[in-house]
Amino acid sequence: MLPEPEKPTVATHWGTYRARWEGGELTALDPVAEDPDPSPIAGSMIDALNNPSRILRPAVRRSFLETGHRAGGEGRGAEPFVEVTWEEALDLAAAELDRVRKSHGNGAIYGGSYGWASAGRFHHAQSQIHRFLNTIGGYTRSVQNYSYAAADAIVPHVLGDKRGLVSRHTSWDVIAKASGLIVMFGGAPRKNAQVSSGGIARHIVGEAIATAQKNGAEIVSVSPIRDDTVGDPDPEWLPVRPTSDVALMLGLAHTLAIEGLADRAFLERYTTGYDRFEAYLFGRHDGTPKDADWAASRTDIPAETIRALARRMAGTRTFIMMAWSLQRADHGEQPYFMAITLAAMLGQIGLPGGGFGFGYASVNGIGNDVPEMSWPSLPQGNNAITDFIPVARIADMLLGPGETYDFNGERRRYPDIRLVYWAGGNPFHHHQDLNRLRHAWQRPETIIVHESWWNPLARHADIVFPATTALERNDIAAASRDRFISASHRIAEPAGETRDDFAIFTGLAARLKVEEAFTDGRNEEGWLRHLYGIARQRGSETGLDLPDFDTFWRTGLCLFPAPAKDRNLLDDFRDDPETNPLPTPSGRIELFSETLDGFGYDDCPGHAAWLEPREWLESPAAIRFPLHLLSNQPKTRLHSQYDSGSHSRAHKLHGREPIRMHPDDAAARGIGDGDIVRVFNTRGACLAAVRLSDALRPGVVQLSTGAWYDPLDPAAPDSLDKHGNPNVLTRDEGTSRLGQGPSAQSCLVEVERFEGEVPEITAFDPPAFAARPTAKTVEREG
Ligand SMILES: Nc1nc2c(c(=O)[nH]1)N[C@H]1C(S)=C(S)[C@@H](COP(=O)(O)OP(=O)(O)OC[C@H]3O[C@@H](n4cnc5c(=O)[nH]c(N)nc54)[C@H](O)[C@@H]3O)O[C@H]1N2
Ligand SMILES: Nc1nc2c(c(=O)[nH]1)N[C@H]1C(S)=C(S)[C@@H](COP(=O)(O)OP(=O)(O)OC[C@H]3O[C@@H](n4cnc5c(=O)[nH]c(N)nc54)[C@H](O)[C@@H]3O)O[C@H]1N2
Ligand SMILES: [Mo]
């Protein structure tokens, strides 16, 4: 038995909270006192437990229940569902998994199941689904993520590994103490640092920026959006044209080079290939020097401003920060390659407060001082299938089985997928060009989903299993980017007939005769005690003192002191590059990479370069679609999570997702504040409600991600989305042959006032349910 907690605690991706009861009723989640800057996102978690969009019982798409996988995928997202018993749903899903693996092999099961799921080390849906699919013989997986796929591919070619991207960042503390100038490409949006995958004890970005400013650091925010970065005083704002940052950095680099401000000694000792880059910078082969004037015409930042900034950067201890957003664009590898190149020219890499780092406010915890502790997670076992796809190529895979594609030096072939299984992610949130995805989504024979709400993913499934939420089960959270471990206590009864992912997979495993292998003979409590035991053991090896399990469980949050040592990216390399070489072929920072060059990709050459995006304000498409759409992260939720909850809905406008627009752009189109508009391009269209704002540079509109896709006619292809999901507009093309990452930020649109009757939002209603088909029509393969 688990002991009774003193103050029940809930651990989420947006923070740690204590449950409050009033009159016997669970009324609120109060942030823990240790958190200096808590997030209000949790405000939705209680009311969403039982809102009308909650999935309460297993359900099957009607024609799939009638004829099984031969039903075809055309009706997905449009047909009604039939609610069935758990026995029936589990039997059906187990039979489908068995049929597909026997007739087509396990490689025909796509279990990439990308997504953030919920915090918690045991009930982590991705770990659960992968462990389960491995137990039944494996699955085709995905690699990378939607967050920084292009960076994930390019940074190791330059630095040898992913330091500065996912680990070993210079700490905020050091930056706040030692930097004179922080240049933030993409700003440092505190709204994004509300979250961190796996959980948070303390939100640190607000404190960090305030301390840096108090110590005299100047901040320059390079972004199409001003209020990305808030500070006191207001940071300087360089309203760059979207996706032109590489041109800006080339202009800075050119100024450094011709004014004798580049650190030649650093380039000589610590890098390789600078000469090849410089030949490009000076235009020795193409006749075009990438000077400040050249940069000005692309970025719309005056040449004098660029020159002055270059001189300032060379004249003081300068830290270059870059948000992950910049690489979620056509040729997204290049801003990252170029940021490292620019930092190398400044020669401050490895010095306190100098150099570069990525994603500082993209999530909380980048640059946090944390103990070096590897927290245990549910073991996933081994995947007998070696095949994979780059995660954002899912629609390409479903539409083109057998077709070839390039990826990071490999020539690969897409597998032929028959069954898609998803738990803990929402492709109808995260993927680009949703109309194309809907088309691709018709291809598989069978789609099985675990979800808690009737969101667009659940609506586009054949078999839907209703999953519990974090409030309805016991778990343990601990994150690599923070310094805590916390219990997450069950504070609510599971709604309806919902079950944990673990219980659902256990039911399937029993039917497929692998129950013991899947559960390892443990139930929820057994796993929690087991995982905590490993954490305690590793803690004692690392110098972290963890209490015994029962004390831990009663207390909830357990916060550790910050380690005393300063962290400075690449300081060991700077101290002694011979003893501490980088794991690159040369052992140095590769400003020209022979490996990359050898791939022969024209969309990702051997050195950083300006490669004109296929879609931006200077491309021919801007004549018809003259506004650049930025689909950034939403302030009021995590992606699509809790969009049906009160906090997210309170911030909509007339029930629709707000699109921010500059007053001049609105006036030119006869649009006023609060108007409902149609946002469109050749890929799709959605409605949204206009919020005027001069915090955007003119020509840029901003529609955050996460509004549940809500087609006007679910049976029609390319239907208008009524709600404001930007992914009906975004491009579904890889960043380059190297990274194949998502390129959502390269997106042009036009906006017009919506005339006529405004359709109602139906995204938060359950789908239509049908009565069970009569026995005569049921004919399923044995
Ligand atoms: N246009 C555009 N698109 C983008 C981005 C962008 O910047 N612009 N950003 C991209 C990025 S960086 C990311 S990371 C992705 C995010 O994409 P996702 O991570 O796929 O989005 P989420 O809404 O977090 O999806 C998580 C889903 O899991 C469900 N869930 C939560 N807990 C559980 C559980 O315990 N069990 C089960 N079975 N389900 C659970 C939630 O209800 C939710 O539907 O979006 C990407 N898409
Ligand atoms: N509240 C909340 N926070 C989140 C998330 C969420 O859903 N909700 N999602 C989390 C996830 S999964 C991730 S990966 C991170 C993503 O973190 P980021 O990728 O850093 O976040 P974005 O909001 O997409 O972009 C940040 C800012 O970059 C600027 N920007 C966009 N395009 C350009 C450009 O071309 N040049 C320049 N200079 N700036 C540009 C925009 O002004 C934008 O507001 O956020 C995380 N944080
Ligand atoms: Mo992400």
Side-chain angles (χ1 to χ4, degrees):
M1 273 256 294
L2 289 164
E4 203 55 36
E6 281 150 21
K7 278 194 211 147
T9 310
V10 175
T12 73
H13 295 306
W14 36 93
T16 312
Y17 302 83
R18 305 279 188 187
R20 193 202 310 167
W21 276 272
E22 282 157 307
E25 196 189 334
L26 177 63
T27 53
L29 296 177
D30 298 319
V32 291
E34 291 85 344
D35 191 344
D37 188 15
S39 161
I41 293 178
S44 286
M45 292 181 78
I46 295 173
D47 58 81
L49 282 173
N50 290 300
N51 71 18
S53 58
R54 191 71 201 270
I55 307 176
L56 299 172
R57 278 169 290 279
V60 181
R61 177 164 70 99
R62 183 172 62 188
S63 67
F64 195 88
L65 190 64
E66 285 167 2
T67 53
H69 70 275
R70 279 167 295 171
E74 293 76 21
R76 287 190 186 115
E79 272 178 42
F81 284 86
V82 180
E83 295 190 317
V84 300
T85 63
W86 272 102
E87 288 301 303
E88 201 174 358
L90 288 167
D91 287 348
L92 182 58
E96 274 303 289
L97 286 162
D98 203 36
R99 176 187 70 78
V100 170
R101 68 176 173 169
K102 285 189 176 135
S103 337
H104 307 284
N106 278 71
I109 300 173
Y110 182 66
S113 186
Y114 178 80
W116 268 52
S118 291
R121 302 242 136 209
F122 174 60
H123 291 291
H124 180 239
Q126 301 308 329
S127 309
Q128 292 284 347
I129 184 174
H130 295 145
R131 179 178 171 87
F132 167 72
L133 291 174
N134 286 337
T135 314
I136 65 162
Y139 62 98
T140 295
R141 70 199 157 96
S142 60
V143 296
Q144 310 174 317
N145 52 45
Y146 280 74
S147 310
Y148 48 75
D152 196 74
I154 190 77
V155 172
H157 286 292
V158 188
L159 299 178
D161 57 24
K162 296 176 198 170
R163 68 186 80 185
L165 174 64
V166 293
S167 63
R168 298 167 75 171
H169 288 78
T170 298
S171 62
W172 270 116
D173 235 24
V174 171
I175 295 169
K177 262 189 275 186
S179 300
L181 175 63
I182 312 174
V183 182
M184 299 172 165
F185 290 89
R190 271 166 76 182
K191 69 165 174 60
N192 288 4
Q194 285 181 97
V195 312
S196 189
S197 162
I200 294 177
R202 302 182 71 258
H203 288 81
I204 60 167
V205 170
E207 268 178 356
I209 293 178
T211 313
Q213 286 193 305
K214 200 171 74 203
N215 293 345
E218 292 177 3
I219 294 179
V220 175
S221 177
V222 181
S223 172
I225 302 180
R226 184 181 59 221
D227 54 11
D228 268 352
T229 318
V230 288
D232 183 16
D234 283 339
E236 270 173 72
W237 181 35
L238 289 191
V240 71
R241 191 177 273 144
T243 69
S244 71
D245 301 76
V246 171
L248 176 60
M249 288 183 281
L250 283 165
L252 293 168
H254 192 275
T255 306
L256 295 178
I258 58 159
E259 297 192 359
L261 299 173
D263 187 335
R264 302 276 162 183
F266 183 91
L267 291 168
E268 183 65 31
R269 177 144 197 230
Y270 298 100
T271 73
T272 174
Y274 175 72
D275 51 331
R276 298 287 295 266
F277 169 75
E278 198 183 70
Y280 165 78
L281 185 65
F282 289 159
R284 297 227 168 90
H285 304 302
D286 61 7
T288 308
K290 315 309 177 285
D291 60 16
D293 296 289
W294 173 91
S297 70
R298 280 154 188 82
T299 59
D300 202 23
I301 304 291
E304 262 330 295
T305 308
I306 298 174
R307 290 196 182 94
L309 179 61
R311 292 172 198 137
R312 268 167 82 193
M313 291 171 84
T316 186
R317 187 59 58 80
T318 298
F319 198 87
I320 298 174
M321 278 185 187
M322 189 172 278
W324 290 341
S325 57
L326 274 82
Q327 49 82 70
R328 235 175 279 120
D330 200 15
H331 307 123
E333 293 80 10
Q334 298 310 312
Y336 275 46
F337 204 170
M338 191 55 218
I340 300 172
T341 305
L342 181 61
M345 292 176 75
L346 289 169
Q348 303 179 7
I349 292 172
L351 296 178
F356 65 92
F358 302 112
Y360 272 88
S362 295
V363 290
N364 185 68
I366 301 273
N368 203 356
D369 279 311
V370 296
E372 289 197 12
M373 170 76 178
S374 153
W375 298 103
S377 51
L378 182 73
Q380 298 184 10
N382 293 320
N383 190 346
I385 302 297
T386 53
D387 205 4
F388 66 82
I389 59 162
V391 68
R393 301 278 52 83
I394 180 170
D396 288 358
M397 170 185 75
L398 296 176
L399 290 168
E403 283 178 14
T404 54
Y405 65 98
D406 289 301
F407 176 54
N408 207 354
E410 278 183 69
R411 187 106 187 119
R412 302 185 54 84
R413 198 176 283 283
Y414 288 118
D416 187 359
I417 297 300
R418 305 302 174 110
L419 185 151
V420 172
Y421 203 142
W422 226 288
N426 179 2
F428 286 85
H429 163 79
H430 63 235
H431 198 59
Q432 284 57 65
D433 198 346
L434 290 182
N435 290 316
R436 182 168 187 260
L437 178 70
R438 282 190 96 204
H439 185 61
W441 201 253
Q442 298 185 349
R443 295 290 183 94
E445 293 164 358
T446 305
I447 296 180
I448 308 175
V449 163
H450 301 186
E451 250 302 335
S452 301
W453 290 277
W454 281 110
N455 68 1
L457 171 68
R459 286 167 191 268
H460 284 81
D462 298 325
I463 304 173
V464 180
F465 288 113
T468 53
T469 74
L471 306 192
E472 298 162 324
R473 61 201 184 206
N474 292 304
D475 213 333
I476 294 174
S480 57
R481 297 202 173 110
D482 209 329
R483 42 190 175 85
F484 77 102
I485 185 165
S486 182
S488 193
H489 297 118
R490 172 171 165 164
I491 54 168
E493 284 300 310
E497 297 178 16
T498 57
R499 293 185 185 175
D500 305 335
D501 297 291
F502 175 68
I504 301 168
F505 288 126
T506 303
L508 293 174
R511 283 162 176 78
L512 296 167
K513 311 276 184 280
V514 289
E515 181 174 356
E516 177 63 27
F518 176 68
T519 64
D520 244 351
R522 295 188 187 95
N523 60 10
E524 178 188 75
E525 181 178 347
W527 274 105
L528 296 184
R529 287 184 183 274
H530 173 71
L531 292 173
Y532 187 81
I534 301 174
R536 206 166 171 220
Q537 173 63 32
R538 288 189 194 163
S540 73
E541 289 156 13
T542 318
L544 291 189
D545 196 15
L546 271 68
D548 66 84
F549 181 85
D550 285 17
T551 308
F552 161 72
W553 195 258
R554 274 194 296 269
T555 321
L557 178 66
C558 197
L559 193 61
F560 306 109
K565 198 169 150 274
D566 278 354
R567 231 168 356 99
N568 231 322
L569 177 67
L570 291 164
D571 54 356
D572 53 341
F573 170 66
R574 186 179 186 110
D575 285 350
D576 189 348
E578 277 75 40
T579 312
N580 307 310
L582 298 184
T584 52
S586 62
R588 306 200 200 159
I589 300 173
E590 304 222 331
L591 303 183
F592 180 88
S593 157
E594 298 284 352
T595 313
L596 271 180
D597 186 56
F599 294 160
Y601 298 155
D602 56 356
D603 54 4
C604 192
H607 57 73
W610 164 254
L611 305 169
E612 184 162 340
R614 273 166 284 191
E615 215 170 297
W616 70 312
L617 286 170
E618 297 292 288
S619 56
I623 297 168
R624 268 179 79 199
F625 303 109
L627 298 169
H628 195 120
L629 173 74
L630 293 181
S631 49
N632 59 355
Q633 314 297 321
K635 188 175 184 176
T636 57
R637 56 187 174 251
L638 173 66
H639 314 132
S640 67
Q641 298 197 34
Y642 293 98
D643 191 38
S644 69
S646 55
H647 183 62
S648 177
R649 290 175 77 171
H651 290 80
K652 304 219 178 210
L653 204 53
H654 311 305
R656 249 155 271 256
E657 195 60 24
I659 183 170
R660 290 207 296 174
M661 196 171 191
H662 192 277
D664 296 349
D665 291 325
R669 292 165 176 78
I671 293 169
D673 196 53
D675 281 358
I676 304 296
V677 289
R678 181 172 162 268
V679 190
F680 63 100
N681 59 22
T682 52
R683 293 177 288 267
C686 68
L687 301 184
V690 166
R691 199 167 268 158
L692 296 182
S693 170
D694 67 2
L696 308 173
R697 60 166 280 142
V700 171
V701 288
Q702 178 227 321
L703 177 60
S704 292
T705 61
W708 287 5
Y709 168 68
D710 195 8
L712 182 65
D713 177 0
D718 306 344
S719 170
L720 174 78
D721 163 54
K722 298 181 280 183
H723 193 186
N725 185 320
N727 275 329
V728 298
L729 302 157
T730 52
R731 298 161 70 244
D732 180 15
E733 273 175 79
T735 49
S736 77
R737 285 187 279 168
L738 185 86
Q740 293 289 7
S743 57
Q745 301 292 19
S746 298
C747 180
L748 294 174
V749 298
E750 180 55 295
V751 175
E752 65 184 16
R753 259 180 65 149
F754 183 71
E755 308 287 352
E757 204 179 320
V758 182
E760 258 181 70
I761 302 286
T762 47
F764 304 130
D765 302 335
F769 291 108
R772 158 176 302 280
T774 57
K776 246 171 58 195
T777 62
V778 179
E779 161 221 321
R780 206 178 300 131
E781 241 180 14

